[in-house]
Amino acid sequence: MENKNRTIKKYRTARGNLNTFVSVGDKVVRVKFVSRDNKEGFFITSDAALQKALEEDKDFGIKYLLANATVDMAEDRQPQYTEITSVTTWQQAKEFLHSRPYSIPLRSLATPEKIRKAAQTKGLKFPCIAE
């Protein structure tokens, strides 16, 4: 499986609102560090090419530093469903979702598509129902 995690990096400068330029591939990109107090500025990016360009730039370590890096794994998260294998028909699924603890109103379960969507909102899946 391809790794889709992305690293979010935060850069810091002690020069307040700093504007600098770095080469990313064949383009020159303006990087703007933003400061609230005009003393310490920050720039945050998840663009790997821009991160590499910033860290290879002559001003890295002089005008600005890497403050921190975090890995965002949100892109890899798959919804987790509880599979209800005892339900084999849409009618059973409808009754299952209408009963406690789910108590979904019958009018919200009028079609197989509505039943499927209601089950998803409750984190349920009915794998034994023929599509």
Side-chain angles (χ1 to χ4, degrees):
M1 184 175 186
E2 184 181 321
N3 185 0
K4 294 183 181 179
N5 296 341
R6 63 185 179 150
T7 302
I8 301 170
K9 292 186 177 182
K10 180 179 184 180
Y11 298 89
R12 181 182 64 80
T13 182
R15 296 174 184 233
N17 292 307
L18 172 70
N19 287 299
T20 189
F21 296 89
V22 294
S23 295
V24 180
D26 59 349
K27 294 190 287 185
V28 175
V29 177
R30 177 179 162 196
V31 176
K32 187 175 182 180
F33 288 80
V34 179
S35 174
R36 287 186 180 170
D37 60 5
N38 209 21
K39 293 179 183 174
E40 192 172 51
F42 296 95
F43 175 75
I44 300 171
T45 184
S46 62
D47 183 325
L50 181 55
Q51 292 170 355
K52 184 177 182 203
L54 282 165
E55 292 166 17
E56 291 176 352
D57 188 69
K58 64 180 175 41
D59 291 331
F60 183 72
I62 298 169
K63 289 185 178 179
Y64 58 89
L65 303 165
L66 178 63
N68 65 33
T70 57
V71 176
D72 180 14
M73 297 173 44
E75 293 177 22
D76 279 347
R77 290 190 193 126
Q78 294 292 326
Q80 296 296 316
Y81 295 107
T82 301
E83 292 188 348
I84 310 299
T85 55
S86 60
V87 173
T88 58
T89 66
W90 289 115
Q91 184 61 37
Q92 288 176 339
K94 184 177 184 176
E95 292 167 5
F96 185 88
L97 291 169
H98 180 62
S99 66
R100 289 183 184 257
Y102 307 108
S103 302
I104 297 173
L106 288 173
R107 67 183 169 279
S108 300
L109 304 170
T111 65
E113 185 60 31
K114 287 183 177 183
I115 293 169
R116 188 180 301 111
K117 284 183 180 179
Q120 287 176 346
T121 63
K122 299 296 182 182
L124 303 173
K125 197 173 200 174
F126 302 112
C128 297
I129 296 177
E131 293 295 322

